[in-house]
Amino acid sequence: MKELFVLLKQGNKSALMAAIVNAVIAILRGTAFIFTGNVAMFAETMHAIGDAANQFFVFIGSALSKKTPTKRFPNGFGRLVNLVLLGAVIVVAIMSFETIKEGIHHVLHPTEAEGFFIVVGVLLAGVILESIVLAKAMKEVIHETHAEAKGLGILVQSFKNVGKATPATKLVFMEDLVATGGGLLALLAVLLSKWTGQHVLEGLASVLIGLMMLFVVGKVFLDNAAGVLGEADDEMENKIGHILIQDPEVKDIRNITVMKEGETLHVEVEVELEASITIEEADVIKERLAGQVMEQKGVADVLIEFSKDDGEVDWKIQST
């Protein structure tokens, strides 16, 4: 139990914050739906429940993935976060289906809901809370990717670098982006429905929100399926190669493999040295090169092998 608490402290804080906020939003929206019967509110309630459950699973998965390797699992638990996320998207998929189904029903049989001001107030509060979580996720993306940004630059750089963030942060970013957009869409549908009398708009908004949720499901599933199978990190391979090839003793690099294990990276490198290098000198070079690789963010271990320089160029320095 003590080990569990230690691991939970290392869980993704953005995911925990998002889970708590979405749970509060789900309660508010669910209560409002019970009193008003507004279908757009139903859609956003399902959205908030799905996001809260999803992000809570993400928090747990990100924490447990940091468990130290055991004899039974010598490669560690890095991919556990990917497995948890694959399970979590099932929850969102179910909520998406229910949201779309209810929206289609309202399109076919539009009815006027009650409690206009309650609905508007709750939806507006939800958008504000979701925006706060989204801003937090944006800052987390900037922090994890070491991007330099201030003010509005955080908005631009977070979109530009979100693909490089950890799986947990990426999911929180995507879900709260869709949640904020969905909240605004639901709010707009309720307002237009009230002003124009076209109550079918609330059903259309519910269908669109459900489709947005399905987009997140598809994206998260594909990203984490790749993580479970074991995905190479081409950008980090290029970066490490760029660093190592500049070492005066390294004549060439035959191969670099960087495999993602959740939020950690495992590196294998084969470099070429002069044939005259002694074993003692090779040990010193290996220690120096390994130290340089281990300084890179996310690298958990590195395996370096040496080969004799064959006079052919295998590695070309690329811009990083």
Side-chain angles (χ1 to χ4, degrees):
M1 186 62 69
K2 182 179 179 181
E3 182 186 12
L4 177 61
F5 284 124
V6 172
L7 289 172
L8 289 177
K9 290 181 180 179
Q10 302 178 57
N12 188 281
K13 301 300 187 298
S14 293
L16 178 60
M17 176 182 176
I20 295 172
V21 170
N22 276 291
V24 173
I25 292 174
I27 293 172
L28 291 174
R29 289 175 178 172
T31 303
F33 169 70
I34 291 173
F35 284 102
T36 65
N38 186 284
V39 69
M41 183 63 72
F42 173 82
E44 282 301 285
T45 300
M46 292 295 100
H47 196 169
I49 292 173
D51 284 353
N54 211 354
Q55 289 156 350
F56 178 72
F57 286 138
V58 170
F59 169 71
I60 298 298
S62 66
L64 296 181
S65 68
K66 294 178 174 61
K67 180 178 172 61
T68 54
T70 63
K71 185 177 181 180
R72 184 179 180 184
F73 301 102
N75 291 327
F77 298 82
R79 298 187 191 184
L80 184 60
V81 65
N82 300 113
L83 287 171
V84 170
L85 288 174
L86 284 177
V89 296
I90 296 176
V91 176
V92 182
I94 294 172
M95 298 301 177
S96 303
F97 174 75
E98 291 297 328
T99 300
I100 294 172
K101 185 177 73 172
E102 188 67 22
I104 292 175
H105 176 76
H106 192 79
V107 169
L108 298 176
H109 309 284
T111 56
E112 182 178 3
E114 301 178 353
F116 172 75
F117 291 105
I118 294 176
V119 171
V120 170
V122 171
L123 286 175
L124 186 59
V127 169
I128 293 173
L129 290 173
E130 294 283 10
S131 298
I132 294 173
V133 177
L134 179 59
K136 169 69 174 174
M138 287 181 174
K139 292 179 180 178
E140 194 69 21
V141 169
I142 297 299
H143 172 72
E144 290 182 355
T145 59
H146 300 287
E148 295 183 2
K150 293 182 180 179
L152 291 177
I154 295 177
L155 178 65
V156 176
Q157 290 299 318
S158 62
F159 275 93
K160 183 178 179 180
N161 294 284
V162 65
K164 305 174 186 176
T166 61
T169 298
K170 188 189 303 183
L171 179 118
V172 173
F173 178 93
M174 290 180 57
E175 285 197 336
D176 280 289
L177 178 63
V178 172
T180 303
L184 290 172
L185 179 61
L187 183 60
L188 179 62
V190 169
L191 293 174
L192 290 177
S193 176
K194 180 68 175 180
W195 294 336
T196 65
Q198 298 295 321
H199 303 299
V200 69
L201 292 174
E202 294 178 7
L204 291 174
S206 179
V207 172
L208 288 175
I209 291 169
L211 292 175
M212 291 165 66
M213 293 167 68
L214 280 179
F215 170 77
V216 173
V217 168
K219 179 64 176 174
V220 172
F221 176 82
L222 291 176
D223 285 350
N224 288 280
V228 169
L229 292 174
E231 184 180 14
D233 191 325
D234 295 333
E235 183 175 349
M236 185 59 77
E237 287 177 2
N238 181 50
K239 182 177 181 180
I240 291 174
H242 186 83
I243 293 171
L244 298 185
I245 200 67
Q246 297 181 66
D247 189 284
E249 303 295 343
V250 175
K251 301 305 178 183
D252 194 12
I253 301 175
R254 286 194 181 181
N255 183 55
I256 297 179
T257 302
V258 179
M259 295 296 294
K260 294 180 181 179
E261 288 275 358
E263 300 178 10
T264 60
L265 303 173
H266 302 278
V267 182
E268 294 184 11
V269 185
E270 183 179 0
V271 301
E272 294 182 2
L273 305 178
E274 289 285 0
S276 59
I277 294 290
T278 65
I279 294 178
E280 290 78 7
E281 291 172 332
D283 287 339
V284 174
I285 295 171
K286 178 179 288 189
E287 185 176 348
R288 181 172 69 244
L289 297 181
Q292 294 174 340
V293 175
M294 290 298 294
E295 289 177 357
Q296 306 310 306
K297 181 177 175 59
V299 176
D301 55 68
V302 55
L303 175 63
I304 298 179
E305 297 181 349
F306 292 137
S307 298
K308 182 177 67 174
D309 183 15
D310 58 8
E312 298 181 4
V313 178
D314 296 309
W315 181 266
K316 295 181 180 179
I317 299 180
Q318 306 171 37
S319 59
T320 58

